[in-house]
Amino acid sequence: MAEQQYFLIPDTETGGLDSKKHKLCEIGATVFDNSGKKVDEFHALLNPKEDSKMQTLYAMKINRCYKRYGPQTNQLSNQDVADHFVRWLLDMSEKYSPVLAGQNLQFDIRFISEFLEAHGYENWNEIFGFHHLDTTMLAKALQLSGLLKTKKLNLGALAEEFKIINPDAHTAIADCETTALVLINMLNLIKK
């Protein structure tokens, strides 16, 4: 029997591609075990009025955060979101000792780092030591070995390769869950 392993998968929805210039709109993070079972999650929409950074209209069209944020969301302040997220990360780290994993992981790390630094926290990803796994890099290795047929390595193409349906693509929690399933499928390919 294989040892139980956990993966913490963050995903962000952003106002553009530049973490220095564009807003972080949404944070999602899930913890999965190596069988694909979700054991915990964190989700928050950020208050766009508390951040002076910009959003591109293209990013707004893709992630649709503007449709999900409003008076009905019972929104915490961005400082409260940062505080809750940090406590959640520390709790997950202590409970599960997860590997930090994600699709284009450095993108999400950059945006989350900018957000947390603006609210008093540095180097959040160091909680996980050197245990980081980018599913894009793993997919490239599997592609080069002939185990993946897809030419594209974006999350949509990888999900399609494994027949994973993500009806809520470009929402943080749905993309975390899809990334987890893609990762588990790729790990199973390696096992075979």
Side-chain angles (χ1 to χ4, degrees), residues 9-13 26-29 103 108 112 171-173 175-176 179:
I9 299 172
D11 189 76
T12 59
E13 297 305 324
E26 182 179 18
I27 299 173
Q103 179 76 11
D108 296 306
I112 293 170
T171 62
I173 288 294
D175 287 353
C176 288
T179 300

Side-chain angles (χ1 to χ4, degrees), residues 65-84:
C65 282
Y66 67 95
K67 288 185 176 183
R68 296 191 305 265
Y69 186 88
Q72 73 284 2
T73 56
N74 193 15
Q75 186 65 37
L76 297 171
S77 73
N78 288 353
Q79 182 65 56
D80 286 340
V81 169
D83 295 341
H84 287 291

Side-chain angles (χ1 to χ4, degrees), residues 13-192:
E13 297 305 324
T14 67
L17 299 177
D18 183 344
S19 64
K20 301 271 186 218
K21 185 168 116 177
H22 296 120
K23 293 180 192 268
L24 175 61
C25 304
E26 182 179 18
I27 299 173
T30 56
V31 177
F32 280 84
D33 67 18
N34 52 336
S35 73
K37 178 183 171 206
K38 180 168 47 171
V39 297
D40 211 321
E41 75 175 36
F42 176 91
H43 177 254
L45 286 169
L46 301 174
N47 187 337
K49 294 178 181 171
E50 291 183 36
D51 189 346
S52 62
K53 291 182 178 179
M54 299 173 60
Q55 296 187 76
T56 69
L57 292 178
Y58 181 74
M60 292 174 73
K61 176 184 172 187
I62 296 295
N63 66 35
R64 302 174 309 280
C65 282
Y66 67 95
K67 288 185 176 183
R68 296 191 305 265
Y69 186 88
Q72 73 284 2
T73 56
N74 193 15
Q75 186 65 37
L76 297 171
S77 73
N78 288 353
Q79 182 65 56
D80 286 340
V81 169
D83 295 341
H84 287 291
F85 187 51
V86 165
R87 282 194 298 274
W88 183 83
L89 287 168
L90 291 168
D91 187 39
M92 294 302 101
S93 176
E94 186 177 313
K95 256 188 204 175
Y96 301 109
S97 297
V99 170
L100 184 63
Q103 179 76 11
N104 289 322
L105 184 58
Q106 287 305 310
F107 179 85
D108 296 306
I109 286 175
R110 276 195 316 271
F111 269 92
I112 293 170
S113 293
E114 285 281 331
F115 171 71
L116 291 179
E117 286 173 17
H119 293 88
Y121 301 101
E122 283 188 316
N123 304 325
W124 72 276
N125 56 312
E126 289 180 3
I127 295 169
F128 307 97
F130 294 106
H131 301 124
H132 296 188
L133 176 62
D134 191 317
T135 54
T136 308
M137 301 308 289
L138 182 57
K140 184 63 177 173
L142 290 170
Q143 185 187 58
L144 291 170
S145 70
L147 293 173
L148 278 183
K149 305 300 178 222
T150 183
K151 299 284 184 232
K152 294 182 180 179
L153 299 179
N154 62 51
L155 186 57
L158 293 172
E160 189 176 315
E161 172 93 6
F162 295 111
K163 298 176 179 38
I164 299 166
I165 298 169
N166 182 0
D168 294 321
H170 300 293
T171 62
I173 288 294
D175 287 353
C176 288
E177 292 171 355
T178 300
T179 300
L181 294 174
V182 165
L183 174 60
I184 299 303
N185 276 280
M186 288 192 295
L187 293 174
N188 287 336
L189 273 180
I190 293 168
K191 285 181 193 173
K192 291 177 185 176

